[in-house]
Amino acid sequence: MEVKIGVYICHCGINIASVVDVEEVTREAAKLPNVVVARNYVYMCSQPGQSLIREDIRKLGVNRVVVASCSPRMHEPTYQRVLEEEGLNPYFFEMANIREQVSWAHMSDPASATEKAKDLVRMAVARAGRLEPIPKKEIPVTRSALVIGGGAAGLRAALDLAEAGFQVYLVERQPYIGGNVALLNTLYWGKDAAEYVKSVGEKVLGNPRIKVYLNSDICEVTGYVGNFHVKIRERPTFVDESCNLCGKCEDACPVSLPNPINLCLDSRKAIYIPSGSGLPKNYIIDAEHCTFCGECVKVCEAGAINLNSVPKEAEFDVGAIIVATGFETYNPSGEYGYGVHKDVITQLGLERLLSRNGPTKGELRRPSDGEVPKSVVFIMCVGSRQKSGKEGKTNAYCSRYCCSSALKNSKIIKENYPNSEVYVLYRDIRAFSRMHEELYRKCRDLGVNFIRFSQDEPPKVDVKDGEQIVTVKDKVLNVTLEIAADLVVLVEGMVPRSDVENLRSLLSLTLSPDGFFQEMHPKMNPLESFTEGIFLAGAAQGPKDIIDSVSQASGAAAKVSTLLSKGRILRDLVTAEVNEELCVGCGKCIEVCPFGAIELDEEREVVRVVDVKCKGCGSCSSKCPVGAIQLRHYRDTQLIAMLDSLISIHGGV
């Protein structure tokens, strides 16, 4: 096929055109070898811009396309789809990034930016002339899914998939489902959190298409999109389903320790019901603290306790995975007297105090003496939007849910304890969700005191003459106030789960700078991870409230349903391939392959690539000592052509 290249330069509004002389770049592109047409347009990604490419393919016979615009991460699939719809292989497309790499990087030097843009276009054209068609391979899809996490997002995703007719495996590390919601008192819109967990949780536990693994960990995930193989390990609870919840075992247990479910505001036994409002309501034994004395076994009339229980392993195949692992709350140890003064608690601790299944059965009581606090002070943005937290860690992001949650609890306290003074010390009130501004106004109407402080002058909590005092400088009135606080509530933000690094490694995911799982693109692909077939939902992807979490979960479930419904997928083989005449079977490529996609044929003493596992990372190609393994679409000849085109203009050594 005679190579006919079309070059298209994007203005990107003024993002590129305000710095780069796109007309000059277009004129230079038209002079390059094999270029039959060169154009520029204000937005090449728009429908009119795409139509220019379509017309040139039809009328001028263009069979290679180069677009100079933004990052390929954003719009490469857009243009590849245009080629495919016009009958060309989508990999006859090449993109030059002249926005991020040129106009944004060299705003102060338009002349040099224009010259650099010419170079990038010249290199892209050189590579385009050597592009090859990339074949597709049909892959069967296992019509089942794995959902990791049994919180609000995980439950919603599992239900949506099951109701769509697919088998779902739900794996939760805790011995109950409900996640962080199971620890709350009420939700923003006034619904009881326990009722919410009960209504959703019972649907999940009662759905025959959902297999729930509690108290379980993901051990291994192998395979690829459509065909993942999962191994899990189910830790023993030592109490089986015949338990009738009589409670005699708990009474007999001699071990007592702080209860982490209630943020250590009360105590529990080594055999206990751990769930707050989570489901199912089952006793379990804390193997770390249990002495295995057998007292519980002696009094269990149902014979439900087996102290010799061992972990169980399970394996299953799925076509897609949804990661809905949620978050952990920031631990403000050492900040504002938390961990030092008993009457400094976190907002989650307040939720437990206000909850009917909490340590005070829903009564607001001061931890130090059990009295009703006459004044409650909320301190906002603890662990979020702060320059430095404990151990110098900086959480620059906003956790999004904190303001509205503090407003909700302020309203509850004022309505139920009208004689108590409530103060909210804030930097900014970000009550952005539906009806949350109304919640803020309601708090003001109820008499909640709002005091704004500066980030550079945060409040201080001290004990003076036996009284807990919060000192804060009012940024609006420019006066320093001292507030006698019977109870201080630190409104803590969200942080990634402690096992996020382990999950990242198991699933080959990417972490964002804030430590949460990174989506492929915040606008174009907000639900997909960079690993094909693995999707993100809820606070695993970043801080968000329950409404946004379940919305994202339904979106991820819809994406998975679409994938599983097809029964097969066509995958572009941008993968490594082996020249067996050069391969010496040394196995160095096997050592560096992170996906286990290369195998050694010992009989023939050569390696072969399992293309459905290969992700096209190129590690093998760079490691091969004899150049026997190349990456389709990134061959040495294509890269050398780019360098030659640059050297021909600027010279080189």
Side-chain angles (χ1 to χ4, degrees):
M1 180 189 299
E2 179 186 358
V3 173
K4 295 183 178 182
I5 302 174
V7 180
Y8 304 89
I9 317 296
C10 183
H11 294 222
C12 197
I14 62 171
N15 278 292
I16 295 173
S18 63
V19 177
V20 175
D21 187 339
V22 293
E23 295 291 347
E24 184 177 346
V25 175
T26 305
R27 287 192 294 271
E28 287 298 313
K31 302 174 185 178
L32 297 174
N34 299 317
V35 173
V36 297
V37 62
R39 305 183 190 278
N40 62 76
Y41 189 68
V42 61
Y43 288 111
M44 282 305 307
C45 61
S46 66
Q47 287 300 325
Q50 295 177 42
S51 295
L52 290 176
I53 300 174
R54 294 179 189 276
E55 287 296 312
D56 290 342
I57 292 174
R58 296 169 187 170
K59 295 181 178 180
L60 302 179
V62 168
N63 53 31
R64 303 289 190 281
V65 172
V66 172
V67 173
S69 58
C70 56
S71 166
R73 281 185 63 180
M74 181 168 287
H75 279 304
E76 185 176 48
T78 301
Y79 300 115
Q80 287 182 326
R81 186 171 60 251
V82 170
L83 268 65
E84 196 164 26
E85 290 173 354
E86 294 302 322
L88 295 177
N89 189 283
Y91 288 91
F92 282 156
F93 171 76
E94 178 65 13
M95 200 164 183
N97 184 351
I98 63 170
R99 188 180 71 177
E100 285 84 345
Q101 294 181 3
V102 179
S103 64
W104 285 0
H106 308 289
M107 290 183 179
S108 61
D109 191 354
S112 296
T114 299
E115 291 303 312
K116 184 177 179 180
K118 291 179 187 178
D119 287 341
L120 292 182
V121 170
R122 186 179 295 111
M123 294 167 71
V125 168
R127 183 168 185 265
R130 289 162 177 79
L131 293 177
E132 303 169 356
I134 301 298
K136 294 180 182 289
K137 181 167 185 173
E138 183 176 300
I139 303 173
V141 172
T142 303
R143 292 170 59 85
S144 59
L146 165 66
V147 176
I148 307 176
L155 296 179
R156 182 72 265 164
L159 270 178
D160 285 359
L161 287 168
E163 290 170 358
F166 300 107
Q167 173 65 43
V168 181
Y169 300 95
L170 176 64
V171 178
E172 167 56 49
R173 66 173 176 171
Q174 297 290 351
Y176 59 90
I177 57 174
N180 287 295
V181 180
L183 304 179
L184 302 182
N185 173 38
T186 62
L187 307 178
Y188 299 132
W189 53 93
K191 186 177 181 66
D192 186 276
E195 292 179 6
Y196 174 82
V197 173
K198 185 174 185 290
S199 64
V200 179
E202 286 181 348
K203 290 179 182 178
V204 169
L205 294 174
N207 195 305
R209 292 196 181 96
I210 303 176
K211 172 62 176 175
V212 179
Y213 292 96
L214 299 175
N215 215 35
S216 300
D217 301 303
I218 306 291
C219 297
E220 182 180 344
V221 178
T222 56
Y224 44 89
V225 57
N227 296 271
F228 293 106
H229 185 70
V230 182
K231 294 182 181 179
I232 70 166
R233 182 174 181 269
E234 192 173 6
R235 288 172 269 115
T237 62
F238 303 97
V239 183
D240 64 34
E241 296 177 353
S242 64
C243 173
N244 58 15
L245 302 177
C246 69
K248 293 180 180 179
C249 57
E250 191 172 6
D251 294 335
C253 179
V255 179
S256 182
L257 62 151
N259 186 0
I261 286 290
N262 289 332
L263 280 75
C264 299
L265 296 173
D266 64 353
S267 60
R268 64 162 171 82
K269 297 297 186 69
I271 185 166
Y272 66 109
I273 299 175
S275 56
S277 60
L279 296 176
K281 295 290 185 184
N282 286 337
Y283 273 97
I284 72 165
I285 289 178
D286 181 349
E288 182 180 352
H289 297 97
C290 178
T291 61
F292 292 90
C293 64
E295 292 299 317
C296 55
V297 178
K298 295 177 184 177
V299 299
C300 181
E301 297 174 357
I305 302 173
N306 180 5
L307 297 180
N308 296 317
S309 298
V310 295
K312 299 177 183 178
E313 293 188 352
E315 299 183 28
F316 46 83
D317 297 314
V318 296
I321 299 172
I322 294 179
V323 179
T325 48
F327 67 97
E328 294 178 2
T329 53
Y330 178 78
N331 180 3
S333 178
E335 298 180 43
Y336 300 105
Y338 182 73
V340 178
H341 308 311
K342 287 185 177 181
D343 294 328
V344 178
I345 64 174
T346 63
Q347 174 141 269
L348 186 57
L350 178 64
E351 292 279 355
R352 298 307 301 143
L353 287 177
L354 295 174
S355 177
R356 293 197 308 272
N357 55 41
T360 58
K361 308 304 179 185
E363 294 291 327
L364 180 61
R365 292 289 185 267
R366 193 164 58 178
S368 62
D369 57 13
E371 295 294 322
V372 175
K374 296 178 181 179
S375 61
V376 180
V377 176
F378 290 82
I379 300 178
M380 310 290 272
C381 293
V382 178
S384 297
R385 303 178 63 218
Q386 62 184 39
K387 290 183 177 179
S388 61
K390 62 178 183 177
E391 300 175 356
K393 178 175 174 55
T394 298
N395 294 333
Y397 54 84
C398 171
S399 290
R400 296 167 61 90
Y401 83 106
C402 323
C403 287
S404 297
S405 185
L407 293 174
K408 174 201 71 173
N409 287 328
S410 297
K411 175 175 174 287
I412 290 173
I413 293 173
K414 286 300 291 183
E415 288 177 338
N416 290 281
Y417 304 91
N419 294 326
S420 293
E421 287 292 328
V422 178
Y423 300 85
V424 175
L425 312 187
Y426 71 99
R427 287 168 51 192
D428 302 284
I429 295 294
R430 297 185 171 187
F432 66 94
S433 292
R434 185 181 183 186
M435 300 301 292
H436 288 196
E437 181 65 21
E438 289 77 2
L439 180 61
Y440 170 64
R441 293 176 183 172
K442 179 64 175 177
C443 286
R444 295 192 70 94
D445 292 341
L446 288 169
V448 174
N449 302 288
F450 289 88
I451 301 173
R452 189 175 189 184
F453 66 88
S454 170
Q455 173 180 317
D456 298 325
E457 296 182 89
K460 296 180 180 178
V461 180
D462 300 294
V463 175
K464 299 179 181 178
D465 300 325
E467 190 174 33
Q468 191 165 255
I469 302 295
V470 177
T471 304
V472 59
K473 183 176 181 181
D474 189 317
K475 185 177 179 181
V476 178
L477 300 178
N478 196 30
V479 295
T480 300
L481 305 173
E482 288 190 350
I483 305 169
D486 290 341
L487 186 65
V488 175
V489 181
L490 306 183
V491 184
E492 78 278 39
M494 295 182 180
V495 294
R497 273 182 29 163
S498 56
D499 62 346
V500 66
E501 183 58 36
N502 181 53
L503 282 170
R504 182 208 64 77
S505 178
L506 283 171
L507 301 174
S508 300
L509 297 178
T510 302
L511 297 182
S512 59
D514 55 20
F516 292 90
F517 292 117
Q518 177 74 58
E519 73 280 1
M520 186 179 292
H521 190 279
K523 292 187 289 185
M524 309 295 291
N525 306 94
L527 304 174
E528 290 98 327
S529 73
F530 286 99
T531 300
E532 191 177 6
I534 299 182
F535 301 83
L536 306 176
Q541 181 262 336
K544 54 181 62 69
D545 64 17
I546 185 174
I547 297 174
D548 287 344
S549 292
V550 297
S551 298
Q552 191 177 28
S554 285
K559 288 274 188 181
V560 171
S561 294
T562 301
L563 172 64
L564 301 185
S565 296
K566 295 177 180 178
R568 66 183 184 92
I569 56 174
L570 290 174
R571 185 175 179 196
D572 297 325
L573 294 182
V574 183
T575 56
E577 68 176 355
V578 178
N579 183 338
E580 295 186 357
E581 294 182 2
L582 297 177
C583 180
V584 296
C586 66
K588 293 186 180 297
C589 53
I590 298 176
E591 296 173 3
V592 298
C593 179
F595 305 105
I598 306 177
E599 299 175 351
L600 177 64
D601 186 333
E602 296 182 0
E603 183 177 339
R604 300 174 59 207
E605 296 185 339
V606 295
V607 298
R608 69 180 190 90
V609 177
V610 183
D611 47 28
V612 291
K613 290 185 178 181
C614 178
K615 306 296 183 183
C617 69
S619 298
C620 54
S621 181
S622 63
K623 188 69 173 179
C624 180
V626 295
I629 192 164
Q630 289 273 300
L631 193 61
R632 294 188 182 102
H633 199 55
Y634 296 97
R635 298 188 184 280
D636 290 348
T637 53
Q638 296 166 349
L639 302 179
I640 290 171
M642 297 174 73
L643 294 174
D644 285 344
S645 69
L646 192 63
I647 292 171
S648 66
I649 298 296
H650 299 286
V653 179

